[in-house]
Amino acid sequence: MSVLVIIPAAGSGTRFGGDIPKQFQPLAGKPIVQYIVERFLLSGFVEKIVVAVTDALLTTIKQAPGDRVQFVAGGETRQQSVMNAFKAAGEDFDVVAVHDAVRPFFRIRTLEALLDVAREHGAALPALPLTDTIHATKDGILTGTVDRTNIVAAQTPQVFRYDVLRDALERAMRDKYDATDEAGLAAHYGYDVRVMPGDPFNIKITRPEDLALAEAHFEEWSRE
Ligand code: C5P
């Protein structure tokens, strides 16, 4: 099985302060994205990793680390960044995994379980049930409570048969439909997207507090 990994890392969010977007903040001494790339390279199935970055960053990258890693310019949205990476990668893959640039603690065994399910059914993602009560609000006032029975929080890597992701991305471009993740996109176009158990350690580093938490629990959370 030949696997392409796409990492959309072209977001410019700098809520962490300074000029460095969160995906390039250091975690245990290296940029989060680098840590993620190195972890994917541990899987023998992964033939290529394409990282979408901002134009500004692309001009500063002189050489990719090894011939399995490639950098491309991202687009205006996450989905466009994924499309750019997808197009740049070529076609010789059975399966594609798309992974957030800010989730360093995914496990290779989760990836490999997802690969099998995606190959059989077309698409698979890890997700967690919600534990908090979810309320709807308007202008700071609570307006109702969401029934969370059938709601899950999506994680990545999200894995697709090559033809499934290609079709969903191409149709979305034609329709000008922009989804917040690729699992949602595939489901929108009628594909069977299987939900697998997520991992509470596979957090998305979005706020400075998340990075502090990630540093504090690095040893434990990064264990395979
Ligand atoms: O901002 P958000 O959390 O939705 O970003 C999700 C991922 O998509 C991040 O890894 C971010 O770098 C990436 N992204 C991208 N291109 C954009 C916007 C976001 O690659 N234009």
Side-chain angles (χ1 to χ4, degrees):
M1 175 172 29
S2 142
V3 178
L4 165 67
V5 174
I6 291 176
I7 303 176
S12 55
T14 51
R15 269 171 295 171
F16 273 84
D19 298 332
I20 311 177
K22 55 201 174 185
Q23 61 273 26
F24 298 104
Q25 295 284 333
L27 171 66
K30 46 178 96 152
I32 296 174
V33 172
Q34 183 186 342
Y35 179 80
I36 290 172
V37 167
E38 288 174 1
R39 186 165 264 226
F40 273 111
L41 288 173
L42 295 176
S43 170
F45 294 117
V46 172
E47 293 224 336
K48 191 180 241 189
I49 301 175
V50 184
V51 186
V53 297
T54 56
D55 287 335
L57 190 68
L58 196 61
T59 58
T60 70
I61 296 171
K62 305 240 170 347
Q63 203 183 349
D67 55 4
R68 282 201 284 165
V69 185
Q70 184 183 346
F71 291 90
V72 298
E76 268 178 32
T77 65
R78 174 203 167 96
Q79 192 174 299
Q80 283 169 8
S81 294
V82 170
M83 185 54 149
N84 290 359
F86 186 82
K87 280 199 204 143
E91 296 184 354
D92 294 330
F93 307 98
D94 303 310
V95 178
V96 189
V98 183
H99 187 67
D100 288 334
V102 284
R103 285 190 197 270
F105 300 121
F106 71 99
R107 292 176 206 275
I108 294 295
R109 64 169 181 272
T110 308
L111 168 71
E112 294 186 350
L114 290 158
L115 294 177
D116 287 339
V117 177
R119 265 223 300 199
E120 188 178 346
H121 297 283
L125 82 156
L128 286 176
L130 299 181
T131 48
D132 294 326
T133 292
I134 307 296
H135 294 306
T137 64
K138 189 164 193 291
D139 303 327
I141 310 281
L142 198 158
T143 56
T145 301
V146 177
D147 177 7
R148 62 175 193 215
T149 320
N150 293 315
I151 297 191
V152 292
Q155 297 186 330
T156 68
Q158 301 187 346
V159 183
F160 309 85
R161 265 202 323 258
Y162 184 87
D163 55 301
V164 168
L165 187 62
R166 180 176 57 194
D167 181 58
L169 285 171
E170 284 176 352
R171 284 163 76 177
M173 288 295 162
R174 274 201 302 274
D175 298 349
K176 300 200 180 347
Y177 176 76
D178 200 59
T180 49
D181 73 3
E182 293 64 41
L185 191 65
H188 178 78
Y189 286 111
Y191 288 106
D192 180 358
V193 182
R194 296 290 162 125
V195 181
M196 309 265 295
D199 178 351
F201 293 166
N202 185 14
I203 63 162
K204 187 173 183 184
I205 295 178
T206 7
R207 297 158 297 204
E209 299 86 319
D210 301 326
L211 192 56
L213 213 59
E215 287 283 2
H217 293 280
F218 183 77
E219 285 297 323
E220 183 192 0
W221 291 4
S222 59
R223 222 171 275 147
E224 252 311 308

